[in-house]
């Protein structure tokens, strides 16, 4: 369906460059990597090959966004952009768009979401609100379990990450901000305000690890898209002692200090140049209950940046090839078919395992 280019914003970053490289083999001469520094974009484009081109974009400048979207059919956002200027530009132009940093806890499931959906429907834009791991892979896992159980009354998503995994500076900075964040979880049909890194529970990834409440974006719209009554998301960090540190910061309210801009800047400089391990292990587990039965899905692998990029590239293909054809704003569980998506992941060595339904505890 796509006749224009695929623009990867943040395309020379940790995840963006992997997305661009994945897509470049299937869409030669059709991928553009973009960022604030044109020289870095050109260098990464040349490194990837397959006719990839570089382009400058500064998402804080409307004129820069306009110029970067010239000749583009699909925009992929890989950078933290709370103001959503790129998203709205894609909506206004009737483009396809997806995002690995959707911040749906900020967007909410009410009027703000409805405005995006209504505008996209009117312009013909196809907006996929969340690619990557969570949201992204986890949403399609939930969809698959929902189909097996005939519904999804209770949903819990848990993600285990390694402290020495590769992480871009934007992701690290946002993690520090989340330490001081309060957010809503949905329990028995009612929103409940909680803090990040509280209420630990042992999650059998495997290996078992303590998962703490965390504001992953995939939880926000499940009550709306699937009618779920209880939805929680958890994060565990290996080794376990690393998880206990942010939990202690939250418990002592020191997290408020860590989340301030000056302290985040210092910690970011201290971390600068630390590349991390691209093969660090990670694990994802999703548990769904419905009508007295339960099932779970699991994925383990090495290098969460690889999983994020693989998932995002697969979802971009769904946009390009017309699998997501209806205009509007969508979550993956609404428009991504599990079988085809999981097959695309398996081609990259990512194998999702689904359990058979059993009586719920």
């Amino acid at each position: 369906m796509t006749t224009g280019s695929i623009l990867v914003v943040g395309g020379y970053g940790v995840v963006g460059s992997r997305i661009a490289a994945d897509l470049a083999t299937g869409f030669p001469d059709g991928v553009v990597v973009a960022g604030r520094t044109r020289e870095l974009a050109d260098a990464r484009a040349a490194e990837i090959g397959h006719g990839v081109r570089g382009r400058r974009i500064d998402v804080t400048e409307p004129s820069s966004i306009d110029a970067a979207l010239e000749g583009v059919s699909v925009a992929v956002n890989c950078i933290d952009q709370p103001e959503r200027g790129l998203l709205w530009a894609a909506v206004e132009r009737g483009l396809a768009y997806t995002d690995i940093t959707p911040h749906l806890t900020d967007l909410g499931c009410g009027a703000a979401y409805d405005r995006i959906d209504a505008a996209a429907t009117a312009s013909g834009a196809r907006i996929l609100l969340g690619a990557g791991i969570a949201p992204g892979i986890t949403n399609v896992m939930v969809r698959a379990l929902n189909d097996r159980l005939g519904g999804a009354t209770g949903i819990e998503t848990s993600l285990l990450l390694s402290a020495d995994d590769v992480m871009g500076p934007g992701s690290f900075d946002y993690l520090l901000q989340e330490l001081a964040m309060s957010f809503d979880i949905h329990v028995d049909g009612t929103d409940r305000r909680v803090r990040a890194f509280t209420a630990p529970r042992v999650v059998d990834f495997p290996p078992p690890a303590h998962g703490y409440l965390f504001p992953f974006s995939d939880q926000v719209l499940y009550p709306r898209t699937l009618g779920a009554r209880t939805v929680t998301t958890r994060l565990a960090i290996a080794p376990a002692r690393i998880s206990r540190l942010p939990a202690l910061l939250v418990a002592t309210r020191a997290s408020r200090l860590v989340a301030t801009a000056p302290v985040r800047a210092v910690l970011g400089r201290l971390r600068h140049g630390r590349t991390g391990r691209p093969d660090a292990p990670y694990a994802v587990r999703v548990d769904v209950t419905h009508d007295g039965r339960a099932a779970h899905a699991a994925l383990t692998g090495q290098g969460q940046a690889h999983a994020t990029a693989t998932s995002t590239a697969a979802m971009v293909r769904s946009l390009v090839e017309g699998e997501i054809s209806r205009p509007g704003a969508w979550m993956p569980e609404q428009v991504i078919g599990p079988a085809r998506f999981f097959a695309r992941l398996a081609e990259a060595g990512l194998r999702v395992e689904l359990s058979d339904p059993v009586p719920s505890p």
Side-chain angles (χ1 to χ4, degrees):
M1 291 183 64
T2 296
T3 58
S5 299
I6 302 169
L7 180 74
V8 184
V9 179
Y12 52 77
V14 171
V15 174
S17 60
R18 287 169 167 82
I19 296 170
D22 189 319
L23 293 170
T25 58
F27 304 100
D29 301 318
V31 177
V32 178
V33 296
R36 285 183 296 180
T37 304
R38 176 63 185 267
E39 292 77 14
L40 292 178
D42 287 340
R44 186 52 53 89
E47 180 183 312
I48 295 171
H50 299 286
V52 175
R53 291 158 286 146
R55 187 172 293 179
R56 181 187 180 274
I57 185 172
D58 186 334
V59 295
T60 66
E61 300 174 1
S63 61
S64 178
I65 295 175
D66 290 340
L69 289 177
E70 188 68 32
V72 168
S73 292
V74 181
V76 186
N77 185 36
C78 302
I79 61 173
D80 187 22
Q81 194 199 359
E83 297 303 317
R84 308 185 197 280
L86 180 62
L87 182 153
W88 279 109
V91 168
E92 291 167 4
R93 287 160 180 75
L95 305 181
Y97 172 95
T98 193
D99 197 327
I100 68 170
T101 61
H103 298 322
L104 300 183
T105 50
D106 296 336
L107 181 67
C109 56
Y113 169 79
D114 289 334
R115 284 196 298 272
I116 295 174
D117 183 49
T121 301
S123 70
R126 294 168 294 140
I127 308 300
L128 186 59
L129 288 170
I133 298 180
I137 294 175
T138 54
N139 297 73
V140 187
M141 286 178 163
V142 168
R143 161 75 180 274
L145 297 176
N146 174 86
D147 293 348
R148 287 194 172 197
L149 294 170
T153 306
I155 301 171
E156 181 164 274
T157 296
S158 302
L159 183 60
L160 172 65
L161 298 178
S162 174
D164 60 355
D165 204 335
V166 173
M167 180 182 290
S171 298
F172 180 70
D173 185 71
Y174 191 67
L175 177 63
L176 296 178
Q177 295 180 57
E178 287 171 321
L179 290 179
M181 181 183 293
S182 60
F183 61 100
D184 288 332
I185 60 174
H186 207 61
V187 180
D188 292 329
T190 302
D191 287 336
R192 179 183 301 174
R193 202 72 174 168
V194 297
R195 297 285 302 280
F197 275 98
T198 60
R201 187 181 75 79
V202 174
V203 180
D204 186 11
F205 283 103
H210 280 92
Y212 296 80
L213 292 177
F214 197 77
F216 287 124
S217 289
D218 63 342
Q219 68 180 315
V220 176
L221 291 174
Y222 286 141
R224 181 173 185 146
T225 60
L226 296 176
R229 291 187 53 78
T230 297
V231 184
T232 54
T233 52
R234 296 180 180 275
L235 172 65
I237 302 176
R241 67 178 184 276
I242 302 297
S243 281
R244 290 194 289 269
L245 175 58
L248 177 63
L249 291 173
V250 171
T252 60
R253 299 190 179 275
S255 58
R256 295 181 179 179
L257 175 62
V258 173
T260 61
V263 175
R264 295 196 333 262
V266 170
L267 293 175
R269 286 194 295 269
L270 291 174
R271 192 181 181 279
H272 180 69
R274 183 177 177 273
T275 57
R277 289 175 50 202
D279 62 345
Y282 68 89
V284 184
R285 180 178 172 114
V286 171
D287 290 89
V288 174
T289 58
H290 180 69
D291 197 21
R293 297 189 303 160
H296 71 270
L299 169 67
T300 59
Q302 294 178 304
Q304 59 92 10
H306 170 63
T308 300
T310 300
S311 170
T312 304
M315 293 189 180
V316 170
R317 286 183 168 87
S318 294
L319 288 164
V320 172
E321 296 170 7
E323 181 181 348
I324 304 171
S325 58
R326 290 175 56 194
W330 306 102
M331 289 299 291
E333 68 270 16
Q334 296 176 286
V335 290
I336 298 291
R340 190 175 183 185
F341 178 74
F342 292 156
R344 283 171 168 160
L345 296 190
E347 291 174 359
L350 306 177
R351 289 178 173 78
V352 174
E353 307 225 352
L354 303 173
S355 77
D356 292 325
V358 298
S360 57

